[in-house]
């Protein structure tokens, strides 16, 4: 029993402020930023760690997946769909930029990367991925009309994988893209990606929304060695390849519904499983990056099991799979102060099972994580309903700021 508990602990521990989730070992999350040694010629991808985002060119392009456009055309008028896509591209593409990132050196010492971004504000703010900008310290933004401008990094957040650049002004006629609404996104809706895959600027691809409520791991480690995670991530089969990082995922109205960030792949190339940071995260994170250059996330200081299986019931000594099981509590954390109890490190038993947060039922850890990331604020007091043995206890917990 102890051996099973230890293996379970290693596989599924999830740290909350944001969170941590486990991924199937054969599938890597890969960043889709194009890395270059001399900025002019792409080189082979670099795998960052066990869970990765798409690396770079030098990755063999995947075979095309079934075209969502063909399917949509079969259900309606081909000409109408083509006209809408053409109009969408004409309207949105001028606001999607190619970002060249360098280390500020010249000659053989030069290195960097490239990716995508899109115009967020009329004052020249541009949204992209954190993993795009962290590749260097000098940023050149190329607009589809050929204008090139230097940009300044004004904020970046490794936990949401978002960053904001600023150019002095926008080219004539270029306007910010409009933001959509997470509540309007449904599985099966068409999704359009515009970006610069493999450095091929102003490319458009199309697919559908394949899944919702996915998660992506943060790009930083906590002091305990775990990572946080981002909830409510969008899954799409719209082809996303190296260089698409930071580009927008759009609905048919041309509204941004996500920021393309990663693919799940065993080879590093697109396999029809791409991930986009949801627009509600953009709405929460980007204004904070613009204002202060950073984001303050609520923090509990708890490690949870990300998903409770039937076999876990005996392992943990609990009677239901619904809820978020407390693996451990960080000493001196808000959760510790509130009296939340973690599992016995020897047996895995005795931990609290969180089943409600205020009036919100917690069926899985992702429910709790979504509330913390998208709705809660630092300093807010929440009421956690927990099952502790044969008792149900309500614990007030005042959220701190993520360390």
């Amino acid at each position: 029993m102890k051996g099973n508990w230890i293996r379970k602990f290693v596989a599924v521990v999830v740290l909350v402020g944001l969170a941590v989730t486990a991924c199937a070992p054969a599938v890597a999350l890969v960043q889709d930023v194009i890395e270059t040694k001399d900025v002019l010629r792409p080189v082979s991808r670099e795998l960052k760690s066990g869970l990765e985002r798409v690396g770079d060119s030098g990755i063999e392009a995947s075979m095309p997946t079934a075209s969502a456009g063909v399917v949509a055309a079969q259900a309606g008028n081909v000409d109408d769909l083509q006209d809408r896509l053409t109009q969408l591209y004409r309207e949105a593409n001028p606001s999607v930029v190619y970002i060249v990132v360098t280390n500020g050196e010249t000659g053989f010492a030069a290195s960097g990367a490239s990716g995508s971004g899109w115009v967020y504000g009329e004052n020249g703010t541009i949204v992209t991925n954190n993993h795009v900008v962290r590749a260097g310290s000098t940023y050149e933004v190329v607009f589809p009309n050929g204008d090139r401008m230097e940009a300044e990094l004004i904020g970046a957040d490794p936990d949401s994988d978002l960053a904001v650049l600023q150019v002095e002004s926008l080219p004539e006629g270029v306007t910010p893209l409009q933001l959509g609404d997470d509540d309007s996104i449904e599985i099966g809706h068409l999704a359009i990606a515009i970006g610069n895959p493999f450095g091929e600027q102003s490319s458009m691809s199309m697919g559908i929304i394949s899944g919702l409520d996915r998660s992506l791991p943060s790009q930083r480690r906590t002091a305990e060695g775990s990572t946080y995670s981002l909830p409510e991530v969008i899954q799409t089969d719209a082809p996303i390849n190296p260089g698409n990082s930071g580009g927008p995922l759009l609905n048919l109205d041309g509204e941004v519904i996500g920021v393309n960030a990663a693919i799940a792949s065993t080879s590093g190339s697109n396999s029809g499983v791409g991930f986009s940071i949801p627009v509600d995260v953009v709405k929460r994170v980007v204004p904070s990056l613009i204002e202060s250059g950073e984001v303050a996330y609520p923090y509990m200081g708890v490690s949870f099991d990300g998903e409770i299986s039937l076999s876990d019931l005996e392992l943990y000594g609990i009677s239901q799979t619904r809820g978020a099981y407390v693996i451990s509590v960080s000493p001196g954390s808000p959760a510790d102060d509130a009296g939340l109890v973690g599992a016995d490190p020897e047996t895995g038993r005795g931990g609290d099972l969180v089943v409600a947060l205020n009036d919100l039922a917690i069926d899985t850890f992702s429910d709790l994580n979504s509330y913390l990331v998208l709705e809660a604020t630092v300093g807010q007091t929440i009421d956690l309903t927990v099952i502790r043995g044969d008792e149900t206890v309500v614990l007030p917990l005042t959220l701190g700021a993520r360390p």
Side-chain angles (χ1 to χ4, degrees), residues 72-148:
Q74 292 172 346
N77 187 291
V78 176
D79 290 336
D80 287 347
L81 178 61
Q82 289 183 157
D83 289 346
R84 178 60 201 133
L85 291 173
T86 300
Q87 180 182 2
L88 184 155
Y89 180 81
R90 288 173 178 167
E91 294 173 349
N93 184 60
S95 301
V96 180
V97 300
Y98 179 52
I99 300 173
V100 180
V101 184
T102 64
N103 62 356
E105 302 292 336
T106 58
F108 291 109
S111 65
S114 66
S116 303
W118 49 277
V119 177
Y120 174 84
E122 294 181 355
N123 62 344
T125 48
I126 292 170
V127 171
T128 185
N129 286 141
N130 173 73
H131 74 261
V132 171
V133 302
R134 73 179 182 183
S137 58
T138 302
Y139 310 100
E140 179 180 344
V141 173
V142 184
F143 287 87
N145 70 351
D147 286 1
R148 293 174 176 262

Side-chain angles (χ1 to χ4, degrees), residues 17-255:
L18 291 180
V20 169
T21 57
C23 181
V27 178
L29 292 182
V30 191
Q31 290 174 341
D32 51 344
V33 57
I34 293 181
E35 184 179 4
T36 61
K37 286 186 176 179
D38 56 10
V39 186
L40 297 178
R41 292 175 298 181
V43 298
S44 60
R45 64 188 173 92
E46 175 185 359
L47 296 180
K48 306 296 183 183
S49 63
L51 291 180
E52 307 169 86
R53 288 171 168 76
V54 175
D56 184 22
S57 85
I59 299 176
E60 182 177 343
S62 61
M63 294 298 292
T65 57
S67 169
V70 172
V71 175
Q74 292 172 346
N77 187 291
V78 176
D79 290 336
D80 287 347
L81 178 61
Q82 289 183 157
D83 289 346
R84 178 60 201 133
L85 291 173
T86 300
Q87 180 182 2
L88 184 155
Y89 180 81
R90 288 173 178 167
E91 294 173 349
N93 184 60
S95 301
V96 180
V97 300
Y98 179 52
I99 300 173
V100 180
V101 184
T102 64
N103 62 356
E105 302 292 336
T106 58
F108 291 109
S111 65
S114 66
S116 303
W118 49 277
V119 177
Y120 174 84
E122 294 181 355
N123 62 344
T125 48
I126 292 170
V127 171
T128 185
N129 286 141
N130 173 73
H131 74 261
V132 171
V133 302
R134 73 179 182 183
S137 58
T138 302
Y139 310 100
E140 179 180 344
V141 173
V142 184
F143 287 87
N145 70 351
D147 286 1
R148 293 174 176 262
M149 301 181 187
E150 291 185 354
E152 176 187 0
L153 177 64
I154 62 174
D157 176 38
D159 291 325
S160 66
D161 195 17
L162 290 174
V164 180
L165 296 171
Q166 174 94 53
V167 294
E168 286 190 359
S169 61
L170 297 176
E172 184 177 354
V174 173
T175 58
L177 294 179
Q178 297 300 305
L179 302 184
D181 188 346
D182 266 3
D183 292 337
S184 67
I185 303 172
E186 295 185 19
I187 295 174
H189 281 186
L190 292 179
I192 295 91
I194 300 180
N196 308 283
F198 301 105
E200 299 295 340
Q201 298 178 38
S202 298
S203 298
M204 182 171 77
S205 60
M206 184 174 70
I208 63 169
I209 302 298
S210 307
L212 299 170
D213 299 325
R214 307 308 193 212
S215 65
L216 283 177
S218 169
Q219 294 162 40
R220 71 180 182 97
R221 291 279 178 180
T222 67
E224 294 86 355
S226 301
T227 62
Y228 299 106
S229 74
L230 186 69
E232 299 196 11
V233 170
I234 299 168
Q235 178 186 331
T236 179
D237 72 347
I240 297 174
N241 283 294
N244 275 120
S245 260
L249 189 70
L250 306 166
N251 60 22
L252 277 179
D253 292 325
E255 297 171 330

Side-chain angles (χ1 to χ4, degrees), residues 340-354:
L340 211 60
V341 177
D344 185 319
E346 293 295 320
T347 66
R349 295 185 169 222
D352 286 338
L353 182 67
V354 179

